[in-house]
Amino acid sequence: MGAEPLSNNHEHEHELALAQPHPPLVLGLQPSALVDHVARVDWSLLNQIPGEQGGSIPVALEELEYILKEVNAHVLSCPGDPSPVKTIAGGSVANTIRGLSSGFGISTGIIGAYGDGEQGQLFIQNMIFNGVDLSRLRKKKGHTAQCVCLVDALGNRTMRPCLSNAVKVQAGELTKEDFKGSKVVAFN
C-alpha cells in the first residue's frame, strides 16, 4: 500500500517536528490519530461489504483487514497512479490542519494520540511531510484508528472506520501548555 512520505528514519523526523521555534497559529484537537486507506474500486466489492454504499459504518479491526485484502482484487486502475491504495493521515481535523499547512503555509499543530505501530508511524510521517507541528501529539501503546475509503467509478465514497480500539488523548490529559501561544483551535 502506498504511504506519504516514505522514510527510513521515523524517530529523527518526529524530533524535527518537535523542534518548532514558535507555537503554531492554528491547533487541531483530534483525540485519536486516524489513517485513511483510500482506493478506487469497482461496485462488486461494494456489494460484498456490509452497509449501504456511500455511507460510513464503523467496523471491527477484522472487518477492516478483510476489506483491505479484498481491495486488491477489485481496484480500478488509474493511469499514472502507481499504487492502488493511498494511505494518508485522515480525520476531518487532521485534513484541515494538513491543508492549512501545506496549501496555505499557515503554522499548524495537532493535539491527540497515536498508536505505537505501523499505522501510527504512517500518520506521523504524513503530518511531518506536510509541515504540521507534532509536539503536542502523544504516543501511546495500542492501535491507531483506521478508515477504509472506497471510491467508486462515479467518485462516491463508502467509508468503513475502525475506531473502537484506537488510542486517544483524554480530556484530563490536556494542559494549558498544549494551547499556549496558539490563536485558533479546530475540533470536530
Side-chain angles (χ1 to χ4, degrees):
M1 285 180 228
E4 294 180 6
L6 295 175
S7 171
N8 294 329
N9 194 351
H10 309 306
E11 293 304 320
H12 182 65
E13 285 177 344
H14 196 177
E15 290 170 12
L16 291 175
L18 296 176
Q20 301 288 332
H22 304 289
L25 178 66
V26 180
L27 272 177
L29 176 57
Q30 181 171 306
S32 294
L34 175 74
V35 174
D36 284 337
H37 305 284
V38 183
R40 294 184 57 82
V41 297
D42 63 45
W43 284 299
S44 65
L45 175 60
L46 297 175
N47 292 330
Q48 292 178 30
I49 62 173
E52 292 183 38
Q53 293 180 15
S56 178
I57 298 173
V59 295
L61 185 59
E62 297 77 26
E63 291 173 280
L64 180 124
E65 290 171 347
Y66 167 77
I67 294 168
L68 286 172
K69 280 184 189 175
E70 289 296 311
V71 162
N72 289 326
H74 299 274
V75 73
L76 292 177
S77 61
C78 289
D81 191 0
S83 177
V85 179
K86 189 173 194 171
T87 301
I88 60 173
S92 60
V93 172
N95 292 341
T96 300
I97 294 302
R98 183 180 58 234
L100 288 171
S101 178
S102 66
F104 297 100
I106 295 172
S107 170
T108 65
I110 192 162
I111 302 171
Y114 69 100
D116 58 355
E118 179 184 1
Q119 302 307 315
Q121 286 303 312
L122 290 170
F123 183 88
I124 293 291
Q125 290 174 16
N126 187 250
M127 296 304 272
I128 289 171
F129 179 77
N130 287 283
V132 177
D133 178 338
L134 303 179
S135 62
R136 293 156 183 84
L137 195 63
R138 284 104 161 138
K139 181 178 184 179
K140 293 188 173 189
K141 186 169 181 60
H143 296 282
T144 299
Q146 299 180 67
C147 182
V148 178
C149 303
L150 305 172
V151 183
D152 67 24
L154 299 175
N156 299 312
R157 296 179 306 159
T158 299
M159 298 188 295
R160 296 297 181 258
C162 179
L163 312 172
S164 60
N165 62 348
V167 298
K168 59 182 75 167
V169 69
Q170 302 297 321
E173 297 175 71
L174 301 175
T175 68
K176 289 181 183 179
E177 287 298 309
D178 287 326
F179 302 93
K180 187 177 180 180
S182 295
K183 304 297 180 202
V184 177
V185 177
F187 57 93
N188 188 357

